[in-house]
Amino acid sequence: MDLSSQATVALIDDARFAEPENGVSSGALVFWSGKADNYLIIPPSSIAPLRMVLDSIRSGDSQTVIYNSLVQQGYELDLAKFLDLLYYKRLLLRDGKAFEGKSDDPLSKIQSDAIAVSKDILKINIDKTGVKRSTAKYIAAFMFFATIISTLLASFFASRYGATLASSLWNYRLSLFVSGSWPISFGLFILCGSLLSTFLHEMGHVVVGRANGLRLASLRVRLYYYFVLAVAVQIPGVFFLPKRKRIALSLAGPFMNLFLANTAFILSAVVGANTILGMSFQFIAVSNYMVLLCNLMPFLPTDGYQCLSLLLFKNIDIRLSLTTKLRNGIRLRTFDRFHIGYLVLYIVSNILILVAFNLFLVRFSSAFCFFHLDPLIHYLLSGICIMAANFFITHRMYRFFKPKG
């Protein structure tokens, strides 16, 4: 091991071992930190040497002393690689500093694309606990019953006015939008409503997390894929909740979207579908229903994926586990049925996304008519958008299967 340039190492102060109740192989331990909001799963065969390394770091031993202790005990462990892993997961400090970058982080090669290709515009760290846990439980219960009641009411209105509302929304009003007849205030209403929807979606997670003893660590305004503006929250300790509570926390966000969509749909029917306010409520309802469906998709890093990973694949993060195996060159015949099942689901779902996306783009490529362009330029721009979308989706699959390095 190269010991020529060593930094002083120390573990983050709240790093500790835990035995999660679900999603981890029997006998394994998890080393995690609430401040870093990250964890490292330690398999049973590696517990002894890694625990010795971690105890030595806590004792203030140098890397040379730790390495010599491993050799004396007969353990075969790449100490430098393990310390790098702890450092990139922000569980380890070097010269008193945590890892702050991403470009040199080998873990970024196995991140989801939504995180790897995103940028934080605003981040607010929150040190206070917030509402009391008992209060959060009452709010969570109210959210649940309000969603059930709004769903029943929305079903009633949909049975009477649903066909009329849908027809007016996707035909006459969409043609007005393409022709540029919408007022600017309508567009601002939709933008603010969308941001408010994502904010309330995240607040649903926060409330249920607080009801289970967790707290909000930070609030971020993030630009996903560099063009989708959304709100994100950080709630340390989510991975170590019992299965039932973690599923409830994952579904809290989609439940909030369902409540907002139902409420907006009911209001659009009450105020009238032919008014600007009614049309605005219709778009808010449709956008929240779409967010709800997208968040329940199991093949993206969504709330639905979190539930599916725990319930069906018995893994705390089946996607990350599968990606790690693929990029480390592990043969498919050694995979268990859970990894094979998710691999098949991932491939099939991405093919379906590709087909659906192409049908959508072909159907709505007429949006370029808004600019009153020459037909040749119109078809050229439409073709460029379709090719770009196809490249984007296929590149996601390439990143998923890309070998390490």
Side-chain angles (χ1 to χ4, degrees):
M1 187 180 81
D2 183 13
L3 303 174
S4 57
S5 58
Q6 292 185 353
T8 302
V9 294
L11 296 173
I12 192 168
D13 53 12
D14 71 331
R16 59 192 183 275
F17 285 99
E19 297 182 6
E21 299 181 16
N22 55 78
V24 177
S25 59
S26 177
L29 286 178
V30 174
F31 189 70
W32 77 291
S33 162
K35 288 184 178 180
D37 193 21
N38 218 327
Y39 64 93
L40 177 67
I41 298 177
I42 302 177
S45 59
S46 302
I47 289 177
L50 297 187
R51 185 185 284 274
M52 190 187 80
V53 171
L54 296 171
D55 289 341
S56 298
I57 295 175
R58 288 191 189 280
S59 301
D61 295 341
S62 66
Q63 295 184 45
T64 304
V65 172
I66 298 173
Y67 177 73
N68 291 334
S69 299
L70 288 171
V71 173
Q72 291 175 2
Q73 295 292 329
Y75 292 127
E76 295 183 0
L77 175 69
D78 190 334
L79 180 60
K81 184 177 180 180
F82 177 61
L83 294 180
D84 283 344
L85 184 62
L86 289 174
Y87 178 63
Y88 291 130
K89 283 182 171 284
R90 296 176 175 83
L91 299 172
L92 183 78
L93 306 177
R94 284 181 169 165
D95 291 332
K97 297 180 180 180
F99 177 70
E100 298 178 352
K102 185 172 65 175
S103 59
D104 296 329
D105 178 5
L107 299 178
S108 65
K109 298 177 182 178
I110 57 174
Q111 286 179 337
S112 66
D113 289 343
I115 302 300
V117 191
S118 66
K119 181 179 179 61
D120 287 337
I121 298 176
L122 176 66
K123 179 179 179 181
I124 303 174
N125 293 319
I126 301 174
D127 297 326
K128 297 181 180 180
T129 303
V131 299
K132 295 181 179 179
R133 185 173 179 180
S134 58
T135 305
K137 289 183 178 180
Y138 287 119
I139 297 175
F142 172 79
M143 286 169 47
F144 175 78
F145 287 111
T147 303
I148 298 299
I149 294 172
S150 67
T151 301
L152 294 176
L153 289 174
S155 300
F156 168 75
F157 278 97
S159 64
R160 297 192 62 179
Y161 309 109
T164 303
L165 291 173
S167 176
S168 64
L169 176 65
W170 292 112
N171 293 320
Y172 175 64
R173 285 155 185 82
L174 185 61
S175 65
L176 288 179
F177 175 73
V178 171
S179 62
S181 301
W182 291 111
I184 296 178
S185 58
F186 176 80
L188 293 176
F189 181 89
I190 296 300
L191 177 61
C192 295
S194 300
L195 286 176
L196 181 61
S197 297
T198 58
F199 174 77
L200 294 176
H201 170 100
E202 296 299 326
M203 288 302 102
H205 293 307
V206 172
V207 169
V208 176
R210 186 71 196 107
N212 288 294
L214 304 180
R215 69 175 186 85
L216 175 64
S218 67
L219 178 68
R220 306 179 184 186
V221 177
R222 173 172 286 174
L223 202 61
Y224 289 99
Y225 296 110
Y226 299 125
F227 70 91
V228 180
L229 191 64
V231 179
V233 296
Q234 181 186 13
I235 309 175
V238 171
F239 285 102
F240 305 104
L241 288 174
K243 181 189 294 186
R244 179 177 58 83
K245 293 182 177 181
R246 188 181 172 197
I247 291 174
L249 191 148
S250 296
L251 293 178
F255 255 67
M256 180 60 75
N257 286 120
L258 180 60
F259 171 74
L260 293 172
N262 292 336
T263 304
F265 179 77
I266 294 170
L267 290 174
S268 69
V270 171
V271 302
N274 294 322
T275 64
I276 290 294
L277 187 59
M279 290 182 280
S280 301
F281 281 130
Q282 288 180 54
F283 271 97
I284 293 297
V286 171
S287 63
N288 273 279
Y289 283 129
M290 292 180 64
V291 170
L292 171 66
L293 293 176
C294 291
N295 262 277
L296 294 178
M297 289 182 179
F299 39 82
L300 296 173
T302 60
D303 299 319
Y305 160 75
Q306 300 293 341
C307 297
L308 190 73
S309 183
L310 287 170
L311 289 174
L312 185 59
F313 298 106
K314 313 297 182 184
N315 194 296
I316 196 170
D317 193 340
I318 185 67
R319 179 188 175 92
L320 180 62
S321 176
L322 175 61
T323 308
T324 304
K325 288 177 178 292
L326 289 172
R327 295 184 181 180
N328 282 282
I330 299 177
R331 296 182 179 276
L332 285 176
R333 64 171 177 265
T334 64
F335 287 12
D336 58 31
R337 67 181 187 278
F338 297 119
H339 288 90
I340 291 292
Y342 186 77
L343 180 62
V344 172
L345 176 64
Y346 182 85
I347 294 174
V348 172
S349 60
N350 273 274
I351 293 174
L352 292 177
I353 289 176
L354 199 62
V355 173
F357 216 65
N358 276 278
L359 292 175
F360 175 84
L361 288 172
V362 170
R363 174 67 179 83
F364 292 100
S365 62
S366 58
F368 286 108
C369 293
F370 174 79
F371 300 101
H372 306 289
L373 301 173
D374 181 87
L376 180 61
I377 299 178
H378 162 72
Y379 287 117
L380 180 62
L381 289 176
S382 300
I384 291 174
C385 287
I386 292 174
M387 288 189 292
N390 279 272
F391 171 78
F392 176 75
I393 296 175
T394 52
H395 185 256
R396 282 186 67 253
M397 295 188 67
Y398 167 73
R399 279 177 54 88
F400 190 87
F401 293 103
K402 183 180 178 182
K404 184 178 180 180

